[in-house]
Amino acid sequence: MILAGIRTFSFVDYPKRISAVVYTGGCNFRCQWCHNWKIAYSNDYNSISEEKIIDKLSALRKRLNAVCVTGGEPTIHNDLPEFISKIKELGYLIKLDTNGTNPEMVEELISKKLIDYVAMDVKAKPENYCKLINVPKDYWNTIFKTINILRNSNIDYEFRMTYVPNLSTEEDIEFFEEFLKEDEKGYATIANSTEIFEVDKKENIKVNKLILRK
Ligand code: SF4
């Protein structure tokens, strides 16, 4: 594993739990607004060994019961399942943050019961994806596979999108709102903002107008 660091306490990364956050290095996207760009695609960070991370998590176990594995993009690392299984052995609940480009690995992690929650990005409508991720490759079919894996699993998950001023469009937000099923959790945010908007289809709360008036 290429690991870029650990945050020992977070109040916002695992729903309703205080968690540790483990950062993996590297990402297959080049989002221009990425707040973790240093570890995602700069190579300008100090890596930390797997042993050190596991030791820290082992020491934290008395005080915490949840870990968020984020990046970068964790699923670009072939040894992620082995790494996560070591964390699982410590007794933690595990949340995976992913951009959805490795459906096979997400499926494996779910089937082996190595993860308990997934937060997955849906960054734009399919036609705008390349623009948002800043990579000239059409990933939509792959991403849609991951979406279907989550939808057909019994794991808890959420979808999230980031509205990037001057890059995202109103149609991207509308696509996100339409794409969500009534019982699915969906959150939208604005790049470089900490404000989070929840899409609630049952209550007909759409985030489109809320975001665009900011
Ligand atoms: S997918 Fe996430 S980690 Fe990767 S570049 Fe985009 S925002 Fe950053």
Side-chain angles (χ1 to χ4, degrees):
M1 284 297 297
I2 299 174
L3 295 162
I6 179 168
R7 181 143 48 107
T8 48
F9 288 98
S10 166
F11 294 93
V12 295
D13 284 275
Y14 201 116
K16 298 182 184 155
R17 291 181 189 271
I18 301 171
S19 71
V21 184
V22 173
Y23 298 89
T24 64
C27 185
N28 48 351
F29 289 178
R30 295 289 179 269
C31 309
Q32 289 169 336
W33 75 95
C34 177
H35 61 278
N36 282 342
W37 66 273
K38 269 205 164 188
I39 63 170
Y41 51 79
S42 81
N43 285 329
D44 182 19
Y45 62 87
N46 295 320
S47 57
I48 176 168
S49 72
E50 203 173 301
E51 290 69 31
K52 271 196 179 156
I53 298 271
I54 297 295
D55 283 352
K56 280 207 175 199
L57 289 175
S58 181
L60 282 167
R61 182 62 187 91
K62 284 190 189 124
R63 286 184 282 164
L64 293 179
N65 63 2
V67 174
C68 173
V69 179
T70 190
E73 172 52 40
T75 68
I76 64 170
H77 302 283
N78 289 335
D79 47 355
L80 182 72
E82 289 75 27
F83 174 62
I84 288 186
S85 72
K86 289 178 192 165
I87 305 177
K88 204 67 183 148
E89 276 169 23
L90 297 173
Y92 280 105
L93 292 169
I94 296 178
K95 168 175 171 266
L96 173 72
D97 287 348
T98 181
N99 61 21
T101 51
N102 194 339
E104 293 79 16
M105 188 179 284
V106 170
E107 195 162 39
E108 178 186 347
L109 291 167
I110 293 172
S111 70
K112 291 184 173 168
K113 297 191 178 356
L114 292 175
I115 51 177
D116 304 278
Y117 193 98
V118 175
M120 179 178 157
D121 296 338
V122 176
K123 293 179 184 287
K125 63 178 188 173
E127 300 82 356
N128 281 353
Y129 236 86
C130 287
K131 193 172 68 171
L132 267 292
I133 65 176
N134 200 21
V135 169
K137 180 174 171 183
D138 185 357
Y139 275 102
W140 177 252
N141 286 340
T142 311
I143 287 167
F144 198 62
K145 261 192 197 172
T146 309
I147 290 167
N148 280 331
I149 287 167
L150 293 176
R151 283 180 166 166
N152 291 316
S153 73
N154 52 12
I155 199 169
D156 208 3
Y157 62 89
E158 68 183 48
F159 295 115
R160 55 196 192 183
M161 86 156 290
T162 302
Y163 178 82
V164 188
N166 303 320
L167 211 53
S168 304
T169 64
E170 187 169 354
E171 290 83 49
D172 290 323
I173 311 174
E174 283 167 0
F175 171 81
F176 183 66
E177 290 177 323
E178 292 303 317
F179 143 92
L180 286 170
K181 297 188 175 181
E182 200 171 89
D183 56 350
E184 283 177 335
K185 284 176 270 187
Y187 302 94
T189 186
I190 304 174
N192 300 319
S193 154
T194 51
E195 205 168 356
I196 295 172
F197 304 91
E198 181 175 1
V199 182
D200 189 332
K201 296 192 89 152
K202 284 184 193 138
E203 297 294 324
N204 201 23
I205 298 176
K206 297 195 161 203
V207 296
N208 188 344
K209 298 285 179 287
L210 296 173
I211 287 182
L212 292 176
R213 76 170 181 226
K214 289 276 166 186

